[in-house]
Amino acid sequence: MLQQLETWIRALIRWAGYQPNRDLSGWVLLVSAVLLGLAVDLVVTQVIRFVNRRRSFKTLLLLRTHVRWAFWVFVPSLFFLLATNIQSARFLRRHPVADKSAEVLFLVASTWLAVQLLKFGELFLIRQYDTTQDVNLSQRKFVTQVRFARRILAIGVVIIGTSLLLISFQGSRKVGLSVLTSAGVVSVLIGFAAQKTLANLLAGVQIAFNQQIRLDDAVVVEKEWGRIEEINLTSVIVRLWDRRRLILPITYFVETPFENWTRSDASITGAVFLYLDYNVPVDKIREKARELTEANPLWSGDSFAVQVTDTQPTCIVVRVLVSARDAPSAFDLRCYLREQLIAFVRDEYPQSLPQTRLMLSEELKPKA
């Protein structure tokens, strides 16, 4: 087979008007292998484009977006490596750079393709999951685990690819073996230098499986309310309510207490406090609050209560408890009830305002 291939190459060289020799035949074979790989890339790309025109597939769109360029490099590098393997030993001795270039290019292209395929696999698995809704707890849990697993596997692929690349060179072979087997002085020094990174990595594993936090969880950290926007290998990005980003080490969520408002259930109970005079008819306040709550679609219907929770020298404290399906809905519902109940008391029972408020109003009136 190899002799027949060499005969065809020599005939092609003669047809082009050149005198065939072993070196020229070898280089023609290598160039032909690369061109054949590019032709395969072109055919596969055109087939996918034709299929996508007739019927759109999200899977093909993801492949085209994330894997296309890595695939375009991988196939020619594979054909180039195969061509060097069928070359004569004499040609490889005369041109060792061709053999070494084939190995290096194939390792780099394979690593790149594997990382991109992991990214494609992640997006393929979570393509139908909606993490923007608080009620989708199981979906957000699955997405968090898939993304963390993809990052861990990608790091492993890069480490293996880098190690194999170092092994392919005679001068760095020991370093490559040390990295690959996690042994030797180099790996020990790296381990000491990366203690915090390893701690963050282990904390990330714990979070991924114990689920202290998930993507889009509503949390209170450092006295700030926000949502989990990203969970990286060493850090967590919290999108605060005013669109600021709070970046915390991932170990923070393992070592420091924090509030997770959507840990097992997104529903929450909110409170509205009113400071009113002793003469206020609490029953009327309760009736109005129930009427307003039942008419508002933000109320989840789980809990409702109006109680006098405290007494002070000048007023009583009336607490209105209402439930909502999530924290933003609870906040909006509380603001609505607060505004409407204040207006109700002001219009229907102005004498029930706290006496301190009335005294302050009297003092601010202009004297005759």
Side-chain angles (χ1 to χ4, degrees), residues 3-31:
Q3 293 178 352
Q4 184 66 35
L5 182 62
E6 187 174 352
T7 302
W8 290 342
I9 293 175
R10 287 178 175 272
L12 179 63
I13 294 173
R14 290 192 185 95
W15 176 81
Y18 296 95
Q19 184 65 30
N21 57 69
R22 293 185 179 275
D23 285 353
L24 187 58
S25 300
W27 285 114
V28 170
L29 176 61
L30 295 180
V31 173

Side-chain angles (χ1 to χ4, degrees), residues 133-150:
Q133 301 295 326
D134 284 340
V135 294
N136 297 336
L137 300 178
S138 60
Q139 295 184 10
R140 292 189 286 114
K141 175 182 178 180
F142 178 75
V143 170
T144 302
Q145 292 177 341
V146 168
R147 288 186 175 177
F148 188 82
R150 192 266 304 173

Side-chain angles (χ1 to χ4, degrees), residues 85-151:
N85 288 333
I86 63 176
Q87 286 283 7
S88 62
R90 178 183 176 185
F91 177 83
L92 295 179
R93 285 195 301 269
R94 290 172 61 87
H95 305 283
V97 65
D99 187 26
K100 188 59 64 177
S101 298
E103 293 182 14
V104 172
L105 184 60
F106 179 74
L107 285 173
V108 173
S110 300
T111 303
W112 185 18
L113 181 63
V115 171
Q116 294 302 111
L117 285 174
L118 288 173
K119 181 65 177 178
F120 161 76
E122 173 199 336
L123 297 177
F124 179 79
L125 290 174
I126 67 175
R127 67 190 187 282
Q128 296 179 346
Y129 290 87
D130 182 13
T131 61
T132 60
Q133 301 295 326
D134 284 340
V135 294
N136 297 336
L137 300 178
S138 60
Q139 295 184 10
R140 292 189 286 114
K141 175 182 178 180
F142 178 75
V143 170
T144 302
Q145 292 177 341
V146 168
R147 288 186 175 177
F148 188 82
R150 192 266 304 173
R151 292 188 176 105

Side-chain angles (χ1 to χ4, degrees), residues 76-271:
S77 68
L78 176 62
F79 279 69
F80 187 65
L81 180 65
L82 294 176
T84 57
N85 288 333
I86 63 176
Q87 286 283 7
S88 62
R90 178 183 176 185
F91 177 83
L92 295 179
R93 285 195 301 269
R94 290 172 61 87
H95 305 283
V97 65
D99 187 26
K100 188 59 64 177
S101 298
E103 293 182 14
V104 172
L105 184 60
F106 179 74
L107 285 173
V108 173
S110 300
T111 303
W112 185 18
L113 181 63
V115 171
Q116 294 302 111
L117 285 174
L118 288 173
K119 181 65 177 178
F120 161 76
E122 173 199 336
L123 297 177
F124 179 79
L125 290 174
I126 67 175
R127 67 190 187 282
Q128 296 179 346
Y129 290 87
D130 182 13
T131 61
T132 60
Q133 301 295 326
D134 284 340
V135 294
N136 297 336
L137 300 178
S138 60
Q139 295 184 10
R140 292 189 286 114
K141 175 182 178 180
F142 178 75
V143 170
T144 302
Q145 292 177 341
V146 168
R147 288 186 175 177
F148 188 82
R150 192 266 304 173
R151 292 188 176 105
I152 292 293
L153 291 175
I155 289 178
V157 168
V158 172
I159 291 176
I160 293 175
T162 304
S163 302
L164 294 176
L165 187 62
L166 293 174
I167 291 174
S168 65
F169 293 95
Q170 185 67 30
S172 59
R173 181 166 298 176
K174 291 183 179 180
V175 178
L177 290 173
S178 298
V179 174
L180 189 60
T181 60
S182 298
V185 177
V186 174
S187 60
V188 173
L189 293 176
I190 293 175
F192 278 113
Q195 284 184 356
K196 287 191 175 181
T197 302
L198 293 176
N200 284 327
L201 186 62
L202 294 176
V205 173
Q206 182 177 347
I207 286 176
F209 291 96
N210 293 343
Q211 294 291 300
Q212 289 97 324
I213 53 174
R214 293 174 294 262
L215 291 173
D216 282 299
D217 267 350
V219 296
V220 178
V221 290
E222 300 294 315
K223 299 182 180 179
E224 297 276 5
W225 185 91
R227 290 187 177 274
I228 303 297
E229 185 175 53
E230 293 182 26
I231 302 178
N232 300 315
L233 292 177
T234 58
S235 63
V236 175
I237 300 177
V238 182
R239 183 181 69 253
L240 302 181
W241 65 274
D242 56 0
R243 298 187 180 181
R244 291 178 295 148
R245 266 57 175 182
L246 184 63
I247 302 176
L248 299 168
I250 200 168
T251 52
Y252 177 92
F253 295 92
V254 177
E255 301 171 352
T256 307
F258 66 96
E259 296 181 24
N260 189 337
W261 290 11
T262 55
R263 173 65 178 84
S264 57
D265 188 8
S267 62
I268 193 170
T269 301

